[in-house]
């Protein structure tokens, strides 16, 4: 591998030789190499063993000419150090052992200690950075406070975030205390990730699209803003991602991020009008396009690339993570197509 810094350049709004591309969930079940490891270990074992998580981080960058590596971890991992236990179950996905119900539950939460509680992620970052340093940039990440609060209150994945909104509306003191504790945990964790070798940070506010703009402004924006302000002090570029956020994009840009990640429910040109010219865009192909006939996949990718023109910079990605049934050769074809596209 020779030096490839087009992703870092695009994050900073600088010109690149071609559009950089990486994929959310680029390490995962769609890869045979991943499934071979997954057969022998539980997800938690994989996250907590730096030998395994570093190896899994490297699998997609060996298989595809993507322009960045993203550390193999999960947004829920910091919850454990705060006193919120959880497990990944085969069918149900993540399940919180004792979902947060009231202010009493929230008052007992701790602020996680990055080295003591999440040292395995930091160790994995150090190892991967040593392996790819100077060749390919390494992305660290965390969930945004809202999306993590959603899991902790709902107890797992949720369609409408009913319990989360109920806590927000009925017990604003409890809500704000929870968001403050999450912020304290996330700021320390992200700073530690940067020290351990993360060169770009992505904040996943995956489920924030369930909120109205006024609720976002009141209950979420001050906390997300604090995370981005603290990251700015570290000098690393930040990507701010969410799904179903067409109605929130201008507020998300106000909260922060050098690059705003968008999903396929809005065109990149419309997104650009909402976020302004001061930030780059990342996205936004529908992950299911990779399951379409090859010609249609590439036509859809072409549409995204055309639509991105005029943005400060564009990082090609999907609008959400790669799905487990994605063919590996479609990922390769798409990556090559983006690199060969002449802007
Ligand atoms: O992108 C990458 O390659 C890095 C690894 C990564 C994982 N999770 C590994 C993982 C990242 C960036 C995440 C973030 C994450 N985790 C998010 C935000 C992104 C998004 O998808 O919106 C969320 C909401 C979670 C919570 C989570 N983790 C869920 C809902 C699930 C179950 C759903 C599923 O896909 O199975 C997980 C498990 C998980 N995290 C897997 C992986 C690769 C599935 C692994 C498996 O079963 O083998």
């Amino acid at each position: 591998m020779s030096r490839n810094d087009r992703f870092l350049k695009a994050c900073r709004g600088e010109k690149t030789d071609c559009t950089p591309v990486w994929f959310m969930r680029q390490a995962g079940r769609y890869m045979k190499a991943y499934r071979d490891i997954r057969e022998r270990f539980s997800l938690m074992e994989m996250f907590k063993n730096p030998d395994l998580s570093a190896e899994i981080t490297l699998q997609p960058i060996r298989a595809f000419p993507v322009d960045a590596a993203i550390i193999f971890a999960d947004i829920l991992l910091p919850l454990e150090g705060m006193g919120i236990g959880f497990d990944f179950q085969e069918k149900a996905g993540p399940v919180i052992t004792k979902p947060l119900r009231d202010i009493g539950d929230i008052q007992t939460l701790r602020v996680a200690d990055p080295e003591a509680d999440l040292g395995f992620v930091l160790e994995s970052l150090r190892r991967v950075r040593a392996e790819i340093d100077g060749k390919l940039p390494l992305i660290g990440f965390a969930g945004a406070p809202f999306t993590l609060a959603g899991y902790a209150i709902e107890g797992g994945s949720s369609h409408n975030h009913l319990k989360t909104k109920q806590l927000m509306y009925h017990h604003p003191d409890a809500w704000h205390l929870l968001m403050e504790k999450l912020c304290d945990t996330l700021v320390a964790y992200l700073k530690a990730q940067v020290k351990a070798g993360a060169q770009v940070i992505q904040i996943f506010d995956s489920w924030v699209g369930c909120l109205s703009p006024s609720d976002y402004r009141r209950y979420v924006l001050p906390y997300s803003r604090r995370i981005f302000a603290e990251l700015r002090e570290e000098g690393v570029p930040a990507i701010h991602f969410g799904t179903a956020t067409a109605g929130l994009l201008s507020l998300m840009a106000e909260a922060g991020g050098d690059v705003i990640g968008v999903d396929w429910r809005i065109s990149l040109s419309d997104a650009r009008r909402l976020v302004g010219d001061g930030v780059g865009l990342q996205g936004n192909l529908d992950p299911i396009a990779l399951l379409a006939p090859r010609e249609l996949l590439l036509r859809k990718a072409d549409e995204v690339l055309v639509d991105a023109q005029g943005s400060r910079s564009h990082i090609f990605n999907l609008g959400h993570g790669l799905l487990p049934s994605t063919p590996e050769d479609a990922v390769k074809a798409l990556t090559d197509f983006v690199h060969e596209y002449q802007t």
Side-chain angles (χ1 to χ4, degrees):
M1 245 190 288
S2 54
R3 181 179 166 82
N4 174 354
D5 61 356
R6 62 171 78 96
F7 169 70
L8 281 178
K9 282 185 169 158
C11 287
R12 296 191 294 247
E14 296 166 15
K15 281 250 157 310
T16 52
D17 57 339
C18 64
T19 302
V21 49
W22 69 281
F23 299 103
M24 290 181 278
R25 291 279 173 97
Q26 64 188 23
R29 282 169 295 182
Y30 77 100
M31 285 189 80
K32 171 154 191 326
Y34 175 92
R35 291 194 302 272
D36 287 347
I37 295 183
R38 182 76 170 85
E39 253 174 33
R40 295 159 40 220
F41 301 95
S42 74
L43 256 189
M44 276 302 199
E45 285 169 334
M46 288 155 67
F47 290 132
K48 291 190 173 178
N49 177 335
D51 287 332
L52 293 177
S53 57
E55 167 61 21
I56 295 167
T57 302
L58 298 171
Q59 285 178 343
I61 70 168
R62 287 192 202 113
F64 314 110
V66 287
D67 297 301
I70 178 163
I71 200 70
F72 181 74
D74 197 88
I75 60 164
L76 301 178
L77 294 172
L79 296 182
E80 213 172 38
M82 297 179 71
I84 305 168
F86 67 93
D87 201 4
F88 291 102
Q89 296 183 359
E90 278 315 316
K91 289 259 145 54
V95 176
I96 307 290
T97 319
K98 195 177 159 294
L100 304 177
R101 285 283 163 265
D102 52 34
I103 191 142
D105 291 344
I106 294 165
Q107 277 163 340
T108 62
L109 296 179
R110 301 182 295 273
V111 173
D113 177 314
E115 278 296 341
D117 297 318
L118 294 148
F120 48 91
V121 178
L122 305 177
E123 178 57 20
S124 181
L125 280 163
R126 285 182 210 108
R127 290 189 195 186
V128 174
R129 178 69 188 269
E131 181 83 20
I132 65 174
D133 194 33
K135 297 176 212 154
L136 211 60
L138 176 57
I139 306 172
F141 69 86
F146 172 79
T147 288
L148 291 179
Y151 277 104
I153 295 164
E154 302 292 335
S157 303
S158 164
H159 289 298
N160 55 14
H161 284 79
L162 182 141
K163 293 180 181 135
T164 308
K165 291 183 188 181
Q166 274 186 317
L167 187 98
M168 225 180 227
Y169 298 153
H170 285 278
H171 306 288
D173 291 357
W175 174 259
H176 290 294
L177 181 64
L178 174 59
M179 291 297 269
E180 261 160 39
K181 288 190 173 185
L182 283 164
C183 266
D184 291 345
T185 292
L186 292 168
V187 165
Y189 179 40
L190 289 166
K191 289 190 175 197
Q193 287 194 37
V194 173
K195 284 197 182 65
Q199 291 157 287
V200 173
I201 295 291
Q202 175 154 321
I203 301 297
F204 287 91
D205 213 349
S206 301
W207 310 127
V208 76
C210 71
L211 292 178
S212 71
S214 71
D215 282 351
Y216 182 87
R217 185 178 280 293
R218 183 172 304 128
Y219 297 104
V220 175
L221 191 145
Y223 303 100
S224 289
R225 192 205 304 269
R226 181 180 154 211
I227 306 244
F228 288 102
E230 302 250 16
L231 277 174
R232 185 151 286 256
E233 278 174 26
E234 298 296 306
V236 292
I239 305 172
H240 192 174
F241 166 80
T243 68
T245 52
L248 299 177
L249 282 174
S250 59
L251 291 173
M252 286 174 68
E254 191 180 321
D258 302 275
V259 175
I260 306 294
V262 292
D263 77 5
W264 61 94
R265 297 173 182 90
I266 181 169
S267 72
L268 288 180
S269 47
D270 284 348
R272 180 167 60 87
R273 280 188 279 280
L274 291 167
V275 300
D277 293 326
V279 291
L281 288 177
Q282 176 175 280
N284 71 340
L285 188 69
D286 184 340
I288 296 176
L290 283 132
L291 280 69
R294 184 62 45 89
E295 207 187 293
L296 184 56
L297 162 63
L298 300 183
R299 196 168 353 122
K300 286 175 174 296
D302 187 82
E303 283 167 10
V304 168
L305 287 157
V306 169
D307 200 25
Q309 284 170 15
S311 307
R312 178 176 189 246
S313 60
H314 176 221
I315 297 160
F316 193 99
N317 204 315
L318 306 177
H320 209 162
L322 278 162
L323 297 166
S325 53
T326 307
E328 290 187 54
D329 62 355
V331 177
K332 171 77 169 80
L334 177 57
T335 309
D336 288 339
F337 181 81
V338 174
H339 284 154
E340 284 156 21
Y341 182 84
Q342 298 297 319
T343 49

